[in-house]
Amino acid sequence: MLFSQLNYFVAVAQERHFARAAERCHISQPALSSAIAKLERELNVTLINRGRSFEGLTPAGERLAVWAKRILAEHDAFKAEAQAVQSGLTGTLRLGAVPTASTTASLVLSSFCSAHPMAKVQISSRLPATELYRRLQEFEVDAAIVHPVPQHNQDIALLPLYEERYVLLSRPEMLLPGATTLGWPDAAQLPLALLTGDMRDRQVIDAVFEERGITVSPQVETDSVASLFAQVASGNWATIVPHTWLWMTSARGEAQVVELIDPILKAPIMLATKATEPGTPLVRALVASAQQLALDDFFDAQLRSIVRRR
């Protein structure tokens, strides 16, 4: 059994199409099919249901796909380890982040990239937490900045990074003069633009309203926090966002920031990695950098500064 055979098989399992898998692996389709057929003969099992085209994996193929991804990931980790010993940390770290953490990823990466200038980072930031957990388990990303889930897989290690606190942004004329805080029932009375219902932050916000018997029906919903800031800038809507976005936007223009209270809602954000040891050098270095951060202090200071200015 060769690593190339496993790589070809994983490509077919993920692409679910022989021609696309061959193109991805930079070989001809006959060569790819021949390599997988040889793998089946070596293992004495049928891995792929074949008709005129790909018709899915067999049960044995489904199991091999899980093992093959793990074997290939461990192989890549070993090569990276050997390379790091010779010439320092190189390669590409694949980092996922839920949309509301897309800007804080730069803070997490700052010391990592400074310490390892030859390493590169590829960020995916428009995926929900459930998809990021899946990609992490399938070795499609190396780490992810996510909300914790109630039943996360034991194969996942979680490192606390910071806690999101929720604030309301609106034009000043929508609020009482000099207001620095607002209750959730009062926020529900404003014309709101909010994140879409499939996003974890929106679900957290909805849960607070529901506990008070309030159902919110925003006129505008979006999967982009940047879009929410634009809706507020237009003057027609208020919005609720994590305070972790304020350091970058500085609540510029005419937008006013008030803290939402009763309750002061906090949602933890974690750095998720595979729990397998020893892990890749890139992931170990990222975790080591993240453990030195004090992001809660940074974000809280930004919030206090903005609210005082108002």
Side-chain angles (χ1 to χ4, degrees):
M1 184 189 304
L2 302 175
F3 286 113
S4 60
Q5 291 173 304
L6 294 178
N7 188 48
Y8 300 158
F9 172 69
V10 168
V12 172
Q14 291 178 335
E15 297 292 340
R16 310 191 76 78
H17 192 277
F18 285 102
R20 288 198 299 269
E23 182 178 359
R24 167 174 154 180
C25 295
H26 307 291
I27 63 170
S28 67
Q29 184 174 334
L32 178 138
S33 298
S34 176
I36 293 176
K38 183 178 180 181
L39 179 62
E40 290 177 315
R41 291 194 299 272
E42 291 177 3
L43 297 175
N44 196 30
V45 292
T46 300
L47 300 172
I48 298 173
N49 294 314
R50 297 173 177 83
R52 292 185 176 180
S53 60
F54 178 86
E55 294 184 357
L57 301 179
T58 65
E62 295 285 358
R63 291 300 304 150
L64 180 62
V66 174
W67 280 103
K69 291 174 185 177
R70 182 175 300 174
I71 291 168
L72 291 172
E74 293 291 344
H75 178 243
D76 290 343
F78 176 75
K79 289 196 299 182
E81 192 84 50
Q83 182 67 31
V85 170
Q86 291 183 337
S87 57
L89 206 58
T90 60
T92 300
L93 175 76
R94 300 166 301 170
L95 178 67
V98 292
T100 52
S102 60
T103 57
T104 56
S106 64
L107 300 175
V108 176
L109 291 171
S110 179
S111 61
F112 167 81
C113 290
S114 296
H116 308 288
M118 291 188 295
K120 297 183 180 298
V121 181
Q122 183 181 75
I123 303 175
S124 300
S125 62
R126 294 188 62 82
L127 298 170
T130 52
E131 174 63 13
L132 288 174
Y133 276 108
R134 185 199 69 77
R135 293 193 180 196
L136 189 59
Q137 290 172 328
E138 296 290 324
F139 301 96
E140 295 174 16
V141 297
D142 302 306
I145 302 174
V146 290
H147 299 88
V149 295
Q151 301 294 331
H152 79 271
N153 193 294
Q154 291 184 349
D155 290 341
I156 304 298
L158 296 176
L159 173 68
L161 288 176
Y162 58 86
E163 288 184 316
E164 291 179 332
R165 288 167 54 183
Y166 293 87
V167 297
L168 182 130
L169 272 69
S170 77
R171 303 283 284 193
E173 56 267 24
M174 291 186 181
L175 302 171
L176 293 175
T180 59
T181 62
L182 191 70
W184 290 84
D186 293 325
Q189 301 303 312
L190 298 173
L192 291 175
L194 295 176
L195 295 171
T196 53
D198 61 324
M199 298 182 69
R200 178 60 180 163
D201 282 273
R202 172 63 186 279
Q203 294 165 5
V204 170
I205 290 167
D206 282 349
V208 177
F209 283 126
E210 289 170 5
E211 288 176 0
R212 285 150 182 74
I214 300 171
T215 301
V216 292
S217 181
Q219 186 177 14
V220 176
E221 293 182 302
T222 175
D223 62 357
S224 165
V225 178
S227 176
L228 292 179
F229 277 84
Q231 308 309 319
V232 174
S234 74
N236 295 319
W237 296 278
T239 192
I240 298 172
V241 295
H243 77 313
T244 52
W245 271 71
L246 299 180
W247 74 277
M248 189 190 72
T249 63
S250 299
R252 288 189 294 268
E254 297 300 321
Q256 183 169 343
V257 179
V258 296
E259 295 184 78
L260 287 167
I261 61 172
D262 191 26
I264 296 175
L265 181 62
K266 297 183 178 181
I269 296 294
M270 307 286 188
L271 178 65
T273 59
K274 291 288 287 183
T276 52
E277 295 292 343
T280 70
L282 285 169
V283 170
R284 295 203 307 271
L286 177 66
V287 170
S289 294
Q291 288 172 331
Q292 306 303 314
L293 299 175
L295 293 180
D296 278 322
D297 294 341
F298 173 77
F299 292 132
D300 290 348
Q302 293 291 317
L303 177 59
R304 289 194 299 270
S305 174
I306 291 170
V307 171
R308 279 200 301 268
R309 288 203 303 267
R310 299 294 176 179

